[in-house]
Amino acid sequence: MTRSDDLKTINCTACGAGLDVLGGGRVTVHICPYCGTELDALDSYKALRTFSDLKRPDSPFMLGMTGKIWDVDYTVIGTLEHKERYGGQEWTWIDHQLFSPTHGYAYLTIENGHFVFSRRYRGPGWVSEHQVEKAETPPILRIKGQTFKYYETTTSEVTFAEGEFTWEVKIGDKSTTVSTLSEDAMLGFSQTQTERETYRSVYLPRKEVAKSFGIEPPKLTKKIHPLMPFKGGPNFTFLRNCAAGFAVACMVLGFVFGLSGGKSVLTEVGLPVAGLPVEIPFEISQPNKLAEIALAADVSNSWASIGLTVQDPEGNILFGAGRTMERYHGRDSDGSWTEGSGKANLRFLAKTAGTYQLNLGEAESGIWSGTLAQPKNAITRLDLRIREGQTSGKLLFLLGLAFAGISAWTFVRRWRHQSKRWAGGDWND
């Protein structure tokens, strides 16, 4: 049985207050917002029961308000408050039943200041509370290309009601809902003592809905709602992809440049340490490029430190530096071990071509006293190699790491959002 669609107003049969009839022909009860009496919309609005002394929840939506949701006109025809109590805690949310002459009935839910839009879902799939209790892993549904994973189970009761509804509402009515969550939607499998329904819910943009209905959006008590989509900004994808691309390009170029060993200009093998200090000239033919001085010593369980200076073709000292070479080895309970390489190098920019001079100072050295196999001499000879036209990929590697960090941060942002979406779930491994 349905009620006439031509009916626009009635008088409450309990208190006489004038009431607007806002819903369509499927409305079965109308709860008077003035006296709290539930009227039977299918039987001349006969009084069924009275819900007295109920405090209206704090909602900016009032009965009769109209607005657009995704370009569809909806009217607020009913208000329900739900409460869940568990473990000494209490959660509250508000459902507003909506009606559209063209799209039928829906719900606009206010939860922690967020807006959620729900409609009955007639598709396949069902998850019961019993299934969840027996499951060893979170139940998963795959429906029409979407994957829905178990999120939570709630048992709530109605604590306030006013307006028109498509079923008979009672204060204290309880329902249990098993919720499953996908990337952008939620399926809620709701069951009472007499019936069960499935609802599909999606997140609504707060500012757009508030503007359409002419209200101020309520204050957010939680920043992230489980259905809230990730907002990376207008250039998020471009930034992520470009940063990743530049990171790869810089790493590849850095590797290529790092492979360039340049041209050998001097090689001295087995320089006797006893002959230090020594002056060694060398030719540079590629100006404004890097030159490398590489040293290698025959240290073994010992160390050696050598000071050096380089003079340009005009006889001016370009720089002075020192390099330490050390190498140790031994055996312990974990087996053999080695440390150090006995090698050292440095690079400098040769701005002009010509004859440069390397001055190697006397070596300072020492023997490691922590081993029984101590060498007779800390160092006896030195190998020297000088190359020009060197290229370095170090800066490109560092730039690549910076781009990789930018790209990684975009993934971290999305991961943090996903973590907060699922933080309210009640599955415990």
Side-chain angles (χ1 to χ4, degrees):
M1 180 176 179
T2 59
R3 188 203 56 202
S4 172
D5 289 335
D6 296 331
L7 192 62
K8 301 301 180 184
T9 60
I10 63 165
N11 290 324
C12 176
T13 55
C15 69
L19 306 176
D20 291 327
V21 176
L22 305 169
R26 289 177 55 194
V27 168
T28 59
V29 296
H30 192 139
I31 300 175
C32 177
Y34 299 100
C35 67
T37 300
E38 184 176 26
L39 310 174
D40 189 345
L42 304 181
D43 190 5
S44 302
Y45 288 90
K46 179 177 66 177
L48 297 175
R49 59 187 64 84
T50 299
F51 310 130
S52 58
D53 300 324
L54 297 181
K55 181 181 178 182
R56 189 180 191 279
D58 185 17
S59 170
F61 294 97
M62 307 297 291
L63 298 181
M65 279 186 173
T66 59
K68 287 184 180 291
I69 298 177
W70 292 313
D71 294 326
V72 177
D73 290 316
Y74 283 98
T75 301
V76 178
I77 66 171
T79 300
L80 289 176
E81 181 186 57
H82 299 266
K83 284 190 179 181
E84 179 190 13
R85 299 177 178 91
Y86 181 79
Q89 291 184 284
E90 184 176 277
W91 296 268
T92 302
W93 62 94
I94 303 167
D95 283 341
H96 290 288
Q97 182 150 45
L98 306 177
F99 174 68
S100 165
T102 57
H103 288 70
Y105 299 90
Y107 290 93
L108 192 160
T109 300
I110 305 175
E111 186 175 13
N112 297 318
H114 298 276
F115 296 157
V116 175
F117 182 78
S118 304
R119 294 180 65 93
R120 279 192 174 94
Y121 175 76
R122 304 300 186 189
W126 178 265
V127 179
S128 68
E129 185 179 12
H130 181 63
Q131 286 176 264
V132 174
E133 291 175 351
K134 290 180 59 179
E136 295 182 358
T137 59
I140 291 176
L141 288 178
R142 291 180 176 85
I143 300 174
K144 296 182 179 180
Q146 277 193 306
T147 299
F148 291 84
K149 183 179 178 182
Y150 173 77
Y151 181 73
E152 66 176 352
T153 299
T154 59
T155 298
S156 63
E157 64 176 307
V158 176
T159 54
F160 178 87
E162 70 174 13
E164 301 172 72
F165 301 95
T166 55
W167 79 101
E168 188 175 332
V169 178
K170 294 180 183 178
I171 301 299
D173 275 354
K174 291 187 176 182
S175 61
T176 298
T177 301
V178 175
S179 299
T180 59
L181 185 62
S182 72
E183 282 295 318
D184 58 3
M186 179 179 281
L187 287 180
F189 305 97
S190 184
Q191 189 163 3
T192 65
Q193 292 182 348
T194 58
E195 61 181 6
R196 70 183 196 178
E197 293 283 356
T198 302
Y199 294 90
R200 187 178 188 274
S201 304
V202 293
Y203 193 82
L204 289 175
R206 279 167 35 92
K207 291 183 179 180
E208 293 179 19
V209 172
K211 181 179 180 181
S212 180
F213 280 85
I215 63 167
E216 285 293 327
K219 182 180 178 181
L220 292 176
T221 56
K222 284 188 178 180
K223 290 186 178 181
I224 303 296
H225 187 276
L227 281 169
M228 191 178 221
F230 173 73
K231 291 183 179 180
N235 300 315
F236 176 81
T237 303
F238 174 80
L239 178 65
R240 179 196 64 198
N241 295 343
C242 283
F246 285 139
V248 172
C250 288
M251 293 293 185
V252 171
L253 289 175
F255 180 74
V256 171
F257 283 127
L259 288 178
S260 176
K263 172 187 173 185
S264 177
V265 297
L266 178 69
T267 299
E268 293 283 353
V269 179
L271 284 172
V273 175
L276 300 179
V278 65
E279 298 176 353
I280 302 174
F282 60 94
E283 293 291 329
I284 293 294
S285 60
Q286 299 181 38
N288 294 314
K289 291 186 177 181
L290 290 176
E292 180 184 59
I293 300 173
L295 300 172
D298 62 343
V299 289
S300 177
N301 281 329
S302 59
W303 63 271
S305 180
I306 296 179
L308 58 88
T309 60
V310 172
Q311 293 177 252
D312 66 13
E314 302 297 327
N316 301 314
I317 295 179
L318 288 179
F319 63 88
R323 286 294 182 268
T324 299
M325 295 151 285
E326 53 189 338
R327 182 176 180 272
Y328 309 101
H329 58 86
R331 175 179 289 275
D332 55 24
S333 59
D334 295 326
S336 300
W337 60 270
T338 60
E339 181 180 330
S341 65
K343 297 180 180 180
N345 69 335
L346 61 82
R347 289 180 176 181
F348 68 96
L349 181 64
K351 293 185 177 181
T352 60
T355 302
Y356 288 71
Q357 181 172 290
L358 171 65
N359 303 315
L360 292 177
E362 291 184 358
E364 296 182 7
S365 61
I367 297 172
W368 179 43
S369 59
T371 176
L372 296 177
Q374 294 180 350
K376 182 177 181 181
N377 298 306
I379 179 175
T380 59
R381 62 183 180 82
L382 190 69
D383 295 341
L384 168 67
R385 291 178 174 83
I386 301 177
R387 305 181 71 87
E388 67 172 345
Q390 289 264 311
T391 58
S392 173
K394 182 177 180 180
L395 291 178
L396 283 170
F397 272 115
L398 292 176
L399 187 60
L401 289 175
F403 280 121
I406 294 173
S407 181
W409 175 240
T410 62
F411 287 97
V412 169
R413 284 183 61 197
R414 182 181 290 277
W415 173 82
R416 288 179 60 190
H417 178 82
Q418 289 292 89
S419 297
K420 290 179 179 179
R421 285 182 66 215
W422 287 91
D426 62 10
W427 183 268
N428 293 316
D429 292 322

